[in-house]
Amino acid sequence: MDQVIPTDRTSKEYKEWRVSGLEGSNMTEIHIVLSTVVLSYWLWKCKTAAEYHRNPGSFSKRGLSALVSECVVFFVPMFMALTGRYLYPTIAVLLGGIVYYRRQIPDFPRRHDKWAPDPRAQVFDSSYVAGKVTAKPYLSIYRAEMMLLTCFCILAVDFELFPLEFAKVETFGTSIMDLGVGSFVFSAGVVGVKAFLPRKVDGKIISPTVWSQLMAGMWTALPMLVLGISRFLLTESVDYQKHVSEYGTQWNFFVTLGLLPIFVPLGLCLFSNLRVASMGLVVVYQLLYSLSPIGSWLENAERTGFVSANREGIFSFIGYLSMFLMGMSLGKEILPDAPTFEARRMRLVSVLGFWTTSFISYNLASFVLGIEPSRRFANAPYCFWVAGFNSAMIWLFMLIEEDIDSKLPPSLSRSGRPVGYDVPKILDAVNKNSLTTFLVANLLTGSVNMLFETLLCGVAEAYGILVAYTVLFLLPALIMDKMGVRIRLKPMPKIRTSQRSKNGPPDGWADIEPTLLEFDEMMREAEEVY
């Protein structure tokens, strides 16, 4: 029986029909569109370095001009590329700007004796602190840009100017929004590994225990699960349009995000090797999907009970868990501070190897075995594609940073750079308050859809609404960053240690103090994952 197409473009039924049955676009188009993300960062990096070298003394005094420059470099290309307008002229302008500013950056003076020690390496190596994890600028910008793409797309898809081939596919295929969902999870895994790394606490290097990891995970999961339940209740109460085949009837993306930090430590207590655990999990899941009746049931079952009604969210969680572990395995290699200058450069090789593994795995699954990627069920080719794309993005960001920062004086090889040199102010604010930004963007998306008939908006009106929406979801993060405020979980009381005790520690305190310090540190780092 043919499906009846709703005729009222303002109805809930039409809006749900419009985003159903989509097949997406090819990977070449997706990667060309998203190349603007890398080019925007490259242009900003070259422009910033050129301005710093031109006048280091006044660099940190830039104010409004720096913010305007960031908006032009990062947001204008995003708007043009993701609405399918002027893509190739946008790329050409970005490349022209890169060439123009790159030529203005002076080269670092060459050493007369090429066998003499590199002064940058000497300063870098001497400033290393074991167990310390400092912010990585390329990683901060990568995460912030993925967040901005996600926030822009969740509203833009409701307008006619957004190409539907970029929207989420029904079952099998690839699209920009499908890649954005996976990238959100993968990037959370890259930084989420921080809670599992050995760290320096009160002068001691300690490794986290399974119990502390699980408690930190539950502390992180709680607000995400509350948001997931709240979103379900809110959308049901206002009869908001919902694409059921995306996650299921009651399930949503917040629930998936909330369960990840709980299941990760439970899984790693059984098998601690992140890379093998992630690959093994997704391979077993794909075998069950392809070789058992589970695959047919997932695609065709009636929604009669909780499991069948939410089968997409429940079973795709296995794939997202594997994807999160893949991100953690990469984060374990690049997140800790490099002990030497050479070790930092070798990380480029490590990330390139990760991308190669993901690329080969995707091609084996997709072209040799003939399995199409599916965001709906987060199958193996989809996971490998997301891991490969994100590792390639991180590698390119690292390469750009390594190239431009190699022109800095040796004293600035690890730290001490002026504010605004490493990370754009807007992206830094978004990265520090990513969960707040994502939540505000979701609330604004629902509000815009209730206040405007988005499908009836013309191009100019749609752009105006999207610009206002972008400003509004960025504003809380910028204000909070300016005030030095970050919305966190309710802070736990500081655990007392022997150094703060007036009467001295009780008997046996020395035996349990390292565990308490570790637990205290874990609970506070749990706030940093999303």
Side-chain angles (χ1 to χ4, degrees), residues 107-420:
D107 289 328
F108 185 77
R110 292 187 177 183
R111 289 171 289 165
H112 298 292
D113 182 2
K114 66 178 181 178
W115 300 108
D118 189 334
R120 294 171 298 173
Q122 291 178 317
V123 174
F124 188 91
D125 298 355
S126 63
S127 61
Y128 172 68
V129 178
K132 189 176 181 181
V133 179
T134 55
K136 307 297 183 292
Y138 65 87
L139 203 54
S140 299
I141 297 175
Y142 149 76
R143 291 193 70 219
E145 291 222 57
M146 291 298 103
M147 175 62 71
L148 292 175
L149 286 171
T150 302
C151 292
F152 179 82
C153 287
I154 59 177
L155 179 61
V157 68
D158 295 324
F159 292 92
E160 288 287 1
L161 61 79
F162 188 82
L164 284 180
E165 59 265 28
F166 294 169
K168 295 174 182 176
V169 301
E170 184 66 25
T171 302
F172 296 104
T174 56
S175 74
I176 287 177
M177 290 192 71
D178 288 336
L179 185 57
V181 172
S183 298
F184 195 102
V185 174
F186 186 90
S187 64
V190 172
V191 297
V193 76
K194 182 179 179 181
F196 296 79
L197 296 173
R199 79 288 311 280
K200 191 172 186 177
V201 180
D202 286 0
K204 305 173 184 177
I205 302 295
I206 60 175
S207 297
T209 61
V210 174
W211 170 251
S212 61
Q213 291 169 351
L214 181 59
M215 290 300 296
M218 294 177 66
W219 194 252
T220 306
L222 181 61
M224 304 302 295
L225 294 175
V226 170
L227 288 173
I229 296 171
S230 301
R231 187 183 189 280
F232 166 71
L233 295 175
L234 184 61
T235 54
E236 289 296 314
S237 64
V238 299
D239 197 31
Y240 192 74
Q241 68 262 19
K242 178 170 60 178
H243 194 188
V244 175
S245 65
E246 189 174 340
Y247 294 105
T249 307
Q250 291 90 24
W251 203 280
N252 56 61
F253 191 49
F254 284 108
V255 177
T256 297
L257 291 177
L259 292 177
L260 284 172
I262 298 177
F263 278 80
V264 167
L266 290 176
L268 291 182
C269 71
L270 301 176
F271 199 85
S272 59
N273 189 306
L274 287 167
R275 187 163 296 184
V276 176
S278 61
M279 292 290 286
L281 181 62
V282 75
V283 168
V284 171
Y285 171 51
Q286 185 63 56
L287 289 173
L288 289 173
Y289 182 95
S290 301
L291 303 179
S292 73
I294 291 178
S296 177
W297 175 79
L298 284 173
E299 295 177 28
N300 306 306
E302 296 292 331
R303 301 185 186 275
T304 54
F306 179 80
V307 175
S308 61
N310 298 281
R311 58 186 184 273
E312 290 90 354
I314 294 172
F315 281 84
S316 68
F317 175 76
I318 302 173
Y320 286 121
L321 177 59
S322 172
M323 202 181 300
F324 191 87
L325 292 172
M326 291 179 187
M328 289 180 67
S329 69
L330 181 60
K332 189 176 180 180
E333 297 181 11
I334 65 175
L335 209 57
D337 287 3
T340 65
F341 196 70
E342 185 64 26
R344 189 184 74 171
R345 289 187 164 180
M346 286 303 297
R347 288 182 175 181
L348 285 166
V349 179
S350 178
V351 177
L352 188 60
F354 187 96
W355 172 82
T356 303
T357 303
S358 303
F359 178 76
I360 293 173
S361 300
Y362 170 79
N363 282 279
L364 286 174
S366 185
F367 296 108
V368 177
L369 300 179
I371 306 171
E372 293 186 83
S374 171
R375 185 266 324 150
R376 180 180 176 184
F377 301 118
N379 63 0
Y382 173 70
C383 292
F384 294 142
W385 175 43
V386 170
F389 170 81
N390 282 272
S391 57
M393 291 284 286
I394 291 174
W395 183 80
L396 289 171
F397 276 47
M398 291 174 71
L399 190 64
I400 292 169
E401 182 180 280
E402 181 67 28
D403 171 55
I404 304 302
D405 288 357
S406 65
K407 316 301 180 186
L408 286 170
S411 59
L412 303 181
S413 59
R414 190 186 287 270
S415 60
R417 298 167 192 172
V419 175

Side-chain angles (χ1 to χ4, degrees), residues 60-89:
S60 58
K61 299 177 182 178
R62 302 177 311 155
L64 182 61
S65 62
L67 291 178
V68 172
S69 174
E70 290 172 18
C71 290
V72 172
V73 171
F74 289 102
F75 293 100
V76 173
M78 181 178 70
F79 273 61
M80 295 295 101
L82 292 178
T83 54
R85 285 169 168 75
Y86 312 113
L87 172 61
Y88 291 102

